[in-house]
Amino acid sequence: MSAAEACPRVSRRFRLQWEEAQSAWVLLYPEGMVKLNQSAGEILRRCDGSRTVAAIVAELEEAFGASGLADDVANFLAMARTQQWIET
């Protein structure tokens, strides 16, 4: 399976939610919280285990009228995997 065919999901160790007080998406875990920037939140909220990386990229490009996001998304997902925020 190629990286574009992987279906990432937020790790069971974390809970992704919109935090109104922060006006941002956050990852909650027993020891604390990670406040995400807009791009990270938009990517992670699409990581539900049913979408491929390619589908996530396509959705983001359509939602934001952008193109060429594949490398940025792949780089973020690699970092998120290192932080154990996502599983595939």
Side-chain angles (χ1 to χ4, degrees), residues 9 11 32 37 43 51-52 57 62 67 70 79 85:
R9 69 169 183 247
S11 169
N37 66 26
I43 295 168
R51 295 175 175 100
T52 64
V57 169
E62 183 176 328
S67 62
M79 183 278 305
W85 294 350

Side-chain angles (χ1 to χ4, degrees), residues 31 55 63 83:
E31 299 83 28
Q83 296 294 323

Side-chain angles (χ1 to χ4, degrees), residues 4-85:
E5 295 170 329
C7 294
R9 69 169 183 247
V10 174
S11 169
R12 293 182 183 106
R13 299 176 193 175
F14 296 90
R15 187 175 78 213
L16 178 68
Q17 74 178 37
W18 176 257
E19 188 64 45
E20 196 61 45
Q22 302 279 338
S23 296
W25 287 96
V26 297
L27 279 174
L28 300 174
Y29 58 103
E31 299 83 28
M33 174 182 79
V34 177
K35 181 179 176 183
L36 303 169
N37 66 26
Q38 181 182 3
S39 298
E42 291 295 334
I43 295 168
L44 282 182
R45 73 186 194 96
R46 289 168 169 83
C47 292
D48 59 7
S50 69
R51 295 175 175 100
T52 64
V53 172
I56 291 169
V57 169
E59 275 188 38
L60 291 166
E61 289 180 343
E62 183 176 328
F64 296 100
S67 62
L69 297 181
D71 287 344
D72 291 335
V73 172
N75 289 336
F76 172 78
L77 292 175
M79 183 278 305
R81 220 179 295 30
T82 299
Q83 296 294 323
Q84 298 180 345
W85 294 350

